[in-house]
């Protein structure tokens, strides 16, 4: 009778152990899912901040493009250039070339800004050799205008040109988070 009872207890223990293992696996899976959800929410919050920074960085160049275009339109509509003389034609040509050069420069800046942000969010799990200076410059290209608009001056002094082999996007993200936290304070 004791042997039968011991066998039943042993079977019950095995069953309880299996049930416990299954419940632990379920809870671990639930926790992993929660972690993924929290990470996704964090990523969305960062993207929201990035969009805000893009808006800050784009506002000035877009205003400048608008001002140059309006200036060209106004001078042409008011016939500010005497097209009957070679000097007037040359002045008009130079004015238009200068205005178009400014617009092209602003458009290049806007394009560069988009590339910076796109590269920042690209899941690059490749290590690369970079200097601290390069990492800081990448970060400042992303957040610099927002800091400037908020009246924050950042003095950067790097004395090391040693290259480090690291995940550059992730380090840039860490530096960005530190600067954003400092900006918020």
């Amino acid at each position: 009778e004791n042997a039968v009872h011991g066998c039943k207890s042993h079977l019950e223990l095995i069953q309880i152990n299996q049930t416990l293992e299954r419940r632990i696996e379920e809870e671990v899976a639930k926790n992993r899912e929660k972690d993924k959800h929290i990470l996704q929410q964090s990523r969305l919050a960062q993207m929201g901040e990035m969009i805000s920074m893009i808006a800050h960085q784009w506002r000035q160049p877009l205003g400048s493009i608008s001002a140059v275009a309006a200036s060209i339109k106004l001078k042409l509509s008011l016939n500010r250039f005497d097209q009957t003389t070679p000097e007037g034609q040359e002045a008009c040509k130079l004015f238009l070339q200068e205005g178009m050069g400014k617009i092209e420069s602003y458009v290049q800046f806007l394009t560069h800004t988009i590339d910076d942000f796109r590269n920042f969010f690209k899941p690059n799990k490749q290590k690369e050799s970079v200097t601290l200076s390069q990492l800081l410059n990448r970060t400042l290209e992303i957040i610099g205008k927002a800091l400037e608009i908020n009246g924050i001056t950042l003095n950067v002094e790097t004395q090391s040109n040693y290259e480090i082999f690291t995940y550059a996007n992730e380090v840039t993200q860490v530096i960005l988070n530190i600067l954003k936290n400092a900006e918020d304070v």
Side-chain angles (χ1 to χ4, degrees), residues 80-120:
R80 289 286 187 189
F81 301 101
D82 183 3
Q83 297 291 338
T84 60
T85 67
E87 295 83 18
Q89 291 172 355
E90 185 62 27
C92 181
K93 181 180 171 183
L94 287 173
F95 174 73
L96 290 174
Q97 285 176 337
E98 182 183 316
M100 293 308 292
K102 286 179 182 177
I103 289 173
E104 287 173 351
S105 171
Y106 295 133
V107 168
Q108 285 297 320
F109 174 80
L110 297 173
T111 301
H112 181 70
T113 301
I114 285 297
D115 289 343
D116 287 343
F117 284 96
R118 187 179 64 224
N119 291 336
F120 179 74

Short mmCIF file of all heavy atoms in Angstrom, two decimals, residues 80-120:
data_model
loop_
_atom_site.label_atom_id
_atom_site.label_comp_id
_atom_site.label_asym_id
_atom_site.label_seq_id
_atom_site.Cartn_x
_atom_site.Cartn_y
_atom_site.Cartn_z
N ARG A 80 12.51 94.44 -63.02
CA ARG A 80 13.67 95.09 -62.41
C ARG A 80 14.92 95.03 -63.30
O ARG A 80 15.89 95.69 -63.02
CB ARG A 80 14.01 94.45 -61.06
CG ARG A 80 13.01 94.76 -59.99
CD ARG A 80 13.17 96.18 -59.54
NE ARG A 80 12.34 96.45 -58.39
CZ ARG A 80 12.16 97.63 -57.91
NH1 ARG A 80 12.75 98.67 -58.46
NH2 ARG A 80 11.39 97.81 -56.89
N PHE A 81 14.85 94.19 -64.30
CA PHE A 81 16.01 94.05 -65.18
C PHE A 81 15.65 94.55 -66.58
O PHE A 81 14.61 94.20 -67.13
CB PHE A 81 16.45 92.58 -65.25
CG PHE A 81 16.81 92.00 -63.91
CD1 PHE A 81 15.92 91.18 -63.23
CD2 PHE A 81 18.03 92.30 -63.32
CE1 PHE A 81 16.24 90.66 -61.99
CE2 PHE A 81 18.36 91.78 -62.08
CZ PHE A 81 17.46 90.96 -61.41
N ASP A 82 16.53 95.35 -67.11
CA ASP A 82 16.33 95.87 -68.46
C ASP A 82 16.82 94.81 -69.44
O ASP A 82 18.02 94.68 -69.69
CB ASP A 82 17.11 97.19 -68.62
CG ASP A 82 16.89 97.83 -69.99
OD1 ASP A 82 16.08 97.28 -70.78
OD2 ASP A 82 17.52 98.87 -70.25
N GLN A 83 15.89 94.09 -70.00
CA GLN A 83 16.23 92.99 -70.90
C GLN A 83 16.70 93.47 -72.28
O GLN A 83 17.16 92.67 -73.08
CB GLN A 83 15.03 92.04 -71.07
CG GLN A 83 14.59 91.34 -69.79
CD GLN A 83 15.60 90.31 -69.30
OE1 GLN A 83 16.41 89.80 -70.05
NE2 GLN A 83 15.54 90.00 -68.02
N THR A 84 16.60 94.77 -72.51
CA THR A 84 17.01 95.29 -73.83
C THR A 84 18.51 95.55 -73.90
O THR A 84 19.05 95.71 -74.99
CB THR A 84 16.26 96.60 -74.15
OG1 THR A 84 16.56 97.57 -73.15
CG2 THR A 84 14.75 96.36 -74.22
N THR A 85 19.18 95.56 -72.75
CA THR A 85 20.63 95.80 -72.76
C THR A 85 21.36 94.53 -72.34
O THR A 85 20.85 93.74 -71.54
CB THR A 85 21.02 96.94 -71.79
OG1 THR A 85 20.77 96.51 -70.46
CG2 THR A 85 20.25 98.21 -72.07
N PRO A 86 22.59 94.34 -72.85
CA PRO A 86 23.38 93.17 -72.43
C PRO A 86 23.66 93.17 -70.92
O PRO A 86 23.69 92.11 -70.29
CB PRO A 86 24.67 93.30 -73.22
CG PRO A 86 24.37 94.20 -74.36
CD PRO A 86 23.25 95.09 -73.91
N GLU A 87 23.86 94.37 -70.34
CA GLU A 87 24.12 94.46 -68.91
C GLU A 87 22.91 94.00 -68.10
O GLU A 87 23.03 93.29 -67.09
CB GLU A 87 24.49 95.89 -68.49
CG GLU A 87 25.78 96.41 -69.07
CD GLU A 87 25.61 96.98 -70.49
OE1 GLU A 87 24.47 97.28 -70.91
OE2 GLU A 87 26.64 97.09 -71.17
N GLY A 88 21.72 94.43 -68.53
CA GLY A 88 20.48 94.05 -67.85
C GLY A 88 20.23 92.55 -67.97
O GLY A 88 19.81 91.90 -67.00
N GLN A 89 20.50 92.01 -69.14
CA GLN A 89 20.33 90.58 -69.35
C GLN A 89 21.31 89.80 -68.47
O GLN A 89 20.95 88.78 -67.87
CB GLN A 89 20.54 90.22 -70.82
CG GLN A 89 19.44 90.74 -71.72
CD GLN A 89 19.77 90.54 -73.20
OE1 GLN A 89 20.85 90.10 -73.57
NE2 GLN A 89 18.81 90.89 -74.05
N GLU A 90 22.55 90.29 -68.41
CA GLU A 90 23.56 89.62 -67.58
C GLU A 90 23.20 89.72 -66.10
O GLU A 90 23.34 88.75 -65.34
CB GLU A 90 24.94 90.24 -67.83
CG GLU A 90 26.09 89.55 -67.14
CD GLU A 90 26.30 88.09 -67.56
OE1 GLU A 90 25.94 87.73 -68.70
OE2 GLU A 90 26.81 87.32 -66.74
N ALA A 91 22.71 90.89 -65.65
CA ALA A 91 22.31 91.06 -64.25
C ALA A 91 21.16 90.11 -63.91
O ALA A 91 21.15 89.49 -62.84
CB ALA A 91 21.91 92.51 -63.99
N CYS A 92 20.21 89.99 -64.82
CA CYS A 92 19.07 89.07 -64.61
C CYS A 92 19.57 87.63 -64.52
O CYS A 92 19.16 86.88 -63.63
CB CYS A 92 18.06 89.23 -65.74
SG CYS A 92 16.61 88.16 -65.56
N LYS A 93 20.45 87.27 -65.43
CA LYS A 93 21.00 85.92 -65.45
C LYS A 93 21.74 85.61 -64.14
O LYS A 93 21.54 84.57 -63.53
CB LYS A 93 21.94 85.76 -66.64
CG LYS A 93 22.54 84.39 -66.78
CD LYS A 93 23.46 84.35 -68.00
CE LYS A 93 24.24 83.05 -68.04
NZ LYS A 93 25.18 83.02 -69.16
N LEU A 94 22.58 86.55 -63.68
CA LEU A 94 23.33 86.35 -62.44
C LEU A 94 22.39 86.24 -61.23
O LEU A 94 22.59 85.41 -60.34
CB LEU A 94 24.33 87.49 -62.23
CG LEU A 94 25.55 87.47 -63.14
CD1 LEU A 94 26.38 88.74 -62.94
CD2 LEU A 94 26.40 86.24 -62.87
N PHE A 95 21.37 87.11 -61.22
CA PHE A 95 20.40 87.09 -60.13
C PHE A 95 19.68 85.73 -60.08
O PHE A 95 19.55 85.13 -59.00
CB PHE A 95 19.38 88.22 -60.30
CG PHE A 95 18.26 88.19 -59.31
CD1 PHE A 95 18.48 88.54 -57.98
CD2 PHE A 95 16.98 87.79 -59.69
CE1 PHE A 95 17.44 88.51 -57.06
CE2 PHE A 95 15.95 87.75 -58.78
CZ PHE A 95 16.19 88.10 -57.46
N LEU A 96 19.24 85.25 -61.24
CA LEU A 96 18.56 83.96 -61.29
C LEU A 96 19.49 82.81 -60.92
O LEU A 96 19.10 81.90 -60.18
CB LEU A 96 17.95 83.72 -62.68
CG LEU A 96 16.76 84.61 -63.05
CD1 LEU A 96 16.34 84.37 -64.50
CD2 LEU A 96 15.59 84.37 -62.11
N GLN A 97 20.73 82.85 -61.39
CA GLN A 97 21.69 81.81 -61.04
C GLN A 97 21.96 81.78 -59.54
O GLN A 97 22.04 80.72 -58.92
CB GLN A 97 23.00 81.99 -61.81
CG GLN A 97 22.91 81.60 -63.26
CD GLN A 97 24.20 81.89 -64.02
OE1 GLN A 97 25.01 82.74 -63.63
NE2 GLN A 97 24.40 81.18 -65.13
N GLU A 98 22.11 82.97 -58.96
CA GLU A 98 22.36 83.05 -57.52
C GLU A 98 21.17 82.50 -56.74
O GLU A 98 21.33 81.72 -55.79
CB GLU A 98 22.63 84.50 -57.11
CG GLU A 98 22.94 84.67 -55.64
CD GLU A 98 23.13 86.14 -55.28
OE1 GLU A 98 23.82 86.86 -56.02
OE2 GLU A 98 22.58 86.55 -54.24
N GLY A 99 19.97 82.91 -57.13
CA GLY A 99 18.76 82.43 -56.45
C GLY A 99 18.61 80.92 -56.58
O GLY A 99 18.31 80.22 -55.59
N MET A 100 18.84 80.39 -57.78
CA MET A 100 18.72 78.95 -57.98
C MET A 100 19.81 78.21 -57.20
O MET A 100 19.57 77.13 -56.67
CB MET A 100 18.80 78.61 -59.48
CG MET A 100 17.61 79.12 -60.28
SD MET A 100 16.01 78.64 -59.59
CE MET A 100 16.04 76.89 -59.88
N GLY A 101 21.00 78.78 -57.11
CA GLY A 101 22.07 78.18 -56.32
C GLY A 101 21.68 78.06 -54.85
O GLY A 101 21.93 77.04 -54.21
N LYS A 102 21.06 79.13 -54.33
CA LYS A 102 20.61 79.10 -52.93
C LYS A 102 19.54 78.02 -52.74
O LYS A 102 19.60 77.26 -51.77
CB LYS A 102 20.04 80.46 -52.53
CG LYS A 102 21.07 81.53 -52.33
CD LYS A 102 20.40 82.85 -51.96
CE LYS A 102 21.41 83.98 -51.80
NZ LYS A 102 20.75 85.27 -51.52
N ILE A 103 18.59 77.97 -53.66
CA ILE A 103 17.52 76.97 -53.55
C ILE A 103 18.11 75.57 -53.60
O ILE A 103 17.75 74.71 -52.79
CB ILE A 103 16.46 77.18 -54.66
CG1 ILE A 103 15.65 78.46 -54.37
CG2 ILE A 103 15.53 75.97 -54.76
CD1 ILE A 103 14.69 78.86 -55.47
N GLU A 104 19.04 75.33 -54.53
CA GLU A 104 19.67 74.01 -54.62
C GLU A 104 20.41 73.67 -53.33
O GLU A 104 20.36 72.52 -52.87
CB GLU A 104 20.64 73.96 -55.81
CG GLU A 104 19.95 73.90 -57.15
CD GLU A 104 20.92 74.03 -58.32
OE1 GLU A 104 22.12 74.33 -58.10
OE2 GLU A 104 20.47 73.82 -59.46
N SER A 105 21.06 74.65 -52.74
CA SER A 105 21.78 74.42 -51.49
C SER A 105 20.81 74.03 -50.37
O SER A 105 21.08 73.10 -49.61
CB SER A 105 22.55 75.68 -51.12
OG SER A 105 23.09 75.58 -49.83
N TYR A 106 19.70 74.74 -50.27
CA TYR A 106 18.71 74.43 -49.25
C TYR A 106 18.10 73.04 -49.48
O TYR A 106 17.89 72.28 -48.53
CB TYR A 106 17.59 75.48 -49.22
CG TYR A 106 18.06 76.85 -48.79
CD1 TYR A 106 17.68 77.99 -49.50
CD2 TYR A 106 18.87 77.02 -47.67
CE1 TYR A 106 18.10 79.25 -49.11
CE2 TYR A 106 19.30 78.28 -47.28
CZ TYR A 106 18.91 79.38 -48.00
OH TYR A 106 19.33 80.62 -47.62
N VAL A 107 17.84 72.70 -50.73
CA VAL A 107 17.27 71.38 -51.04
C VAL A 107 18.27 70.29 -50.67
O VAL A 107 17.89 69.24 -50.13
CB VAL A 107 16.85 71.30 -52.53
CG1 VAL A 107 16.54 69.86 -52.94
CG2 VAL A 107 15.64 72.19 -52.79
N GLN A 108 19.56 70.52 -50.93
CA GLN A 108 20.58 69.54 -50.55
C GLN A 108 20.60 69.35 -49.03
O GLN A 108 20.73 68.24 -48.53
CB GLN A 108 21.97 69.99 -51.03
CG GLN A 108 22.19 69.82 -52.51
CD GLN A 108 22.12 68.35 -52.92
OE1 GLN A 108 22.62 67.48 -52.23
NE2 GLN A 108 21.47 68.09 -54.04
N PHE A 109 20.45 70.45 -48.30
CA PHE A 109 20.41 70.36 -46.84
C PHE A 109 19.21 69.52 -46.39
O PHE A 109 19.33 68.66 -45.53
CB PHE A 109 20.32 71.77 -46.22
CG PHE A 109 20.12 71.74 -44.73
CD1 PHE A 109 21.20 71.53 -43.87
CD2 PHE A 109 18.85 71.90 -44.18
CE1 PHE A 109 21.01 71.49 -42.49
CE2 PHE A 109 18.66 71.86 -42.81
CZ PHE A 109 19.74 71.65 -41.97
N LEU A 110 18.05 69.76 -47.00
CA LEU A 110 16.85 69.01 -46.64
C LEU A 110 17.03 67.52 -46.95
O LEU A 110 16.66 66.66 -46.15
CB LEU A 110 15.63 69.56 -47.38
CG LEU A 110 15.25 71.01 -47.05
CD1 LEU A 110 14.13 71.49 -47.96
CD2 LEU A 110 14.86 71.16 -45.60
N THR A 111 17.61 67.23 -48.10
CA THR A 111 17.86 65.84 -48.49
C THR A 111 18.84 65.18 -47.51
O THR A 111 18.63 64.04 -47.08
CB THR A 111 18.44 65.78 -49.92
OG1 THR A 111 17.50 66.39 -50.80
CG2 THR A 111 18.70 64.37 -50.36
N HIS A 112 19.89 65.90 -47.15
CA HIS A 112 20.88 65.39 -46.22
C HIS A 112 20.23 65.09 -44.86
O HIS A 112 20.53 64.08 -44.22
CB HIS A 112 22.03 66.40 -46.07
CG HIS A 112 23.11 65.96 -45.16
ND1 HIS A 112 23.99 64.95 -45.46
CD2 HIS A 112 23.46 66.40 -43.92
CE1 HIS A 112 24.82 64.78 -44.45
NE2 HIS A 112 24.53 65.65 -43.51
N THR A 113 19.33 65.96 -44.44
CA THR A 113 18.63 65.77 -43.17
C THR A 113 17.81 64.48 -43.19
O THR A 113 17.87 63.69 -42.25
CB THR A 113 17.69 66.97 -42.88
OG1 THR A 113 18.45 68.16 -42.84
CG2 THR A 113 16.97 66.80 -41.55
N ILE A 114 17.09 64.25 -44.26
CA ILE A 114 16.30 63.02 -44.38
C ILE A 114 17.21 61.80 -44.35
O ILE A 114 16.91 60.81 -43.68
CB ILE A 114 15.45 63.04 -45.67
CG1 ILE A 114 14.27 63.99 -45.50
CG2 ILE A 114 14.94 61.65 -46.02
CD1 ILE A 114 13.29 63.58 -44.41
N ASP A 115 18.33 61.86 -45.07
CA ASP A 115 19.27 60.73 -45.07
C ASP A 115 19.80 60.46 -43.66
O ASP A 115 19.90 59.30 -43.25
CB ASP A 115 20.44 61.00 -46.02
CG ASP A 115 20.03 60.95 -47.48
OD1 ASP A 115 18.95 60.39 -47.78
OD2 ASP A 115 20.78 61.48 -48.31
N ASP A 116 20.12 61.52 -42.92
CA ASP A 116 20.61 61.36 -41.55
C ASP A 116 19.59 60.62 -40.68
O ASP A 116 19.93 59.69 -39.95
CB ASP A 116 20.91 62.71 -40.90
CG ASP A 116 22.15 63.37 -41.46
OD1 ASP A 116 22.96 62.66 -42.10
OD2 ASP A 116 22.31 64.59 -41.27
N PHE A 117 18.33 61.05 -40.77
CA PHE A 117 17.30 60.44 -39.95
C PHE A 117 17.00 59.01 -40.39
O PHE A 117 16.80 58.13 -39.57
CB PHE A 117 16.02 61.28 -39.96
CG PHE A 117 16.14 62.51 -39.10
CD1 PHE A 117 16.49 63.72 -39.65
CD2 PHE A 117 15.93 62.43 -37.74
CE1 PHE A 117 16.62 64.85 -38.85
CE2 PHE A 117 16.07 63.56 -36.93
CZ PHE A 117 16.41 64.77 -37.50
N ARG A 118 16.98 58.78 -41.70
CA ARG A 118 16.72 57.43 -42.22
C ARG A 118 17.83 56.48 -41.76
O ARG A 118 17.57 55.38 -41.30
CB ARG A 118 16.60 57.43 -43.74
CG ARG A 118 16.16 56.08 -44.27
CD ARG A 118 16.01 56.04 -45.76
NE ARG A 118 17.31 56.27 -46.37
CZ ARG A 118 17.51 57.08 -47.40
NH1 ARG A 118 16.51 57.72 -47.95
NH2 ARG A 118 18.71 57.23 -47.91
N ASN A 119 19.07 56.92 -41.89
CA ASN A 119 20.19 56.08 -41.46
C ASN A 119 20.18 55.83 -39.97
O ASN A 119 20.58 54.77 -39.50
CB ASN A 119 21.53 56.71 -41.87
CG ASN A 119 21.72 56.68 -43.37
OD1 ASN A 119 21.15 55.85 -44.06
ND2 ASN A 119 22.52 57.60 -43.87
N PHE A 120 19.71 56.82 -39.22
CA PHE A 120 19.65 56.69 -37.77
C PHE A 120 18.71 55.55 -37.36
O PHE A 120 18.99 54.79 -36.46
CB PHE A 120 19.19 58.00 -37.14
CG PHE A 120 19.07 57.93 -35.65
CD1 PHE A 120 20.20 57.91 -34.85
CD2 PHE A 120 17.84 57.89 -35.05
CE1 PHE A 120 20.09 57.85 -33.47
CE2 PHE A 120 17.72 57.83 -33.67
CZ PHE A 120 18.85 57.81 -32.89
#
